[in-house]
Amino acid sequence: MSLILNIDTAVAGASIALSQGSEILASATNEAAKESAGWLQPAIKELMQAGGYPLSALDAIAVSVGPGSYTGLRVGMASAKGLCYALQKPLIAISTLEMMAAAAKKVVPEAELYCPMIDARRMEVFTAIYNRVLQPIVPPHNLILDAHSFSDLLAAHRVCIFGNGSDKFKPLLKEGQALFATIYPHAVQLAELALEQYKKGHFADIAYTEPFYIKAFYTTQARS
């Protein structure tokens, strides 16, 4: 039965989970986003040791690839790829938005569509819309929210809206069938999707897989 290490550092803080088949054996979380880089590797070591497994026992490593925090995504991807390379294990890359939609589907089964929103500052979010079988009805993109965002879909369907970017959308809505829920990313939510990819043999290229930022990263240069 497949033993998979699941890593998520995409949104707020970092989390890891060890899964065997469909069972979660153990998990750990660090909510301090700025500490992800220093926390992640020691936490993985402790998690594996607590379960009595050497790293070599892993069958694959799964990571949420974004969108989300630029720094967080780089930390998670670098850790996952480094372990895969060193251990000669396959890498499984999962969209953070799809991972969130999979979690929402279990919490709000009455919804017809699932709309995760990740805060991208000001009134902008990273978002997508998935149906009940997690097919993207609206593909992942960045969006500046206004009162008309997704108006056609909201008028015709029961849409579950959630994530740390959804709070700024709620006050804009006056009509529609929006179902707001509190659901945030966690590595535990990766396990089911990662298992599906593992069974299908859908693995990412360790050399060329990169975080899915959606928007290009930029920074200001310090004045001399």
Side-chain angles (χ1 to χ4, degrees):
M1 191 176 294
S2 56
L3 186 69
I4 300 176
L5 174 64
N6 304 276
I7 300 172
D8 174 56
T9 56
V11 182
S15 59
I16 54 175
L18 183 64
S19 59
Q20 190 167 51
S22 58
E23 180 184 0
I24 302 297
L25 300 180
S27 64
T29 305
N30 180 17
E31 297 180 357
K34 294 183 179 180
E35 297 177 3
S36 295
W39 176 83
L40 187 56
Q41 289 296 337
I44 290 172
K45 181 179 179 180
E46 291 177 10
L47 191 76
M48 298 298 293
Q49 288 179 340
Y53 295 99
L55 284 168
S56 59
L58 291 171
D59 293 300
I61 296 167
V63 62
S64 62
V65 298
S69 159
Y70 292 111
T71 301
L73 291 174
R74 289 196 297 272
V75 167
M77 182 62 73
S79 296
K81 290 173 70 171
L83 287 170
C84 286
Y85 181 79
L87 300 168
Q88 294 297 292
K89 304 294 182 179
L91 174 68
I92 300 172
I94 305 289
S95 162
T96 305
L97 293 169
E98 182 182 355
M99 176 184 75
M100 294 170 67
K105 180 180 164 185
K106 294 180 179 180
V107 177
V108 190
E110 66 271 24
E112 298 172 272
L113 300 174
Y114 297 91
C115 180
M117 290 186 175
I118 297 173
D119 187 7
R121 298 184 181 180
R122 298 185 178 88
M123 289 303 294
E124 190 171 14
V125 294
F126 300 125
T127 189
I129 293 185
Y130 297 87
N131 62 17
R132 285 175 172 167
V133 293
L134 300 182
Q135 293 175 329
I137 302 303
V138 178
H141 64 292
N142 56 301
L143 174 68
I144 297 175
L145 294 168
D146 60 36
H148 304 291
S149 298
F150 303 128
S151 57
D152 291 345
L153 290 173
L154 285 166
H157 302 277
R158 287 173 294 173
V159 183
C160 178
I161 301 174
F162 56 98
N164 68 354
S166 64
D167 287 345
K168 50 192 176 186
F169 189 41
K170 192 172 185 178
L172 300 176
L173 293 184
K174 296 181 180 179
E175 300 177 354
Q177 302 182 65
L179 305 171
F180 284 88
T182 303
I183 301 164
Y184 296 110
H186 192 283
V188 166
Q189 301 162 4
L190 274 176
E192 184 176 343
L193 296 174
L195 179 60
E196 291 178 7
Q197 297 302 307
Y198 181 82
K199 289 179 177 178
K200 295 175 182 177
H202 290 176
F203 303 128
D205 190 303
I206 296 175
Y208 296 105
T209 299
E210 296 180 350
F212 180 42
Y213 295 120
I214 291 186
K215 293 199 305 181
F217 175 74
Y218 67 93
T219 185
T220 56
Q221 293 184 346
R223 295 180 180 178
S224 56

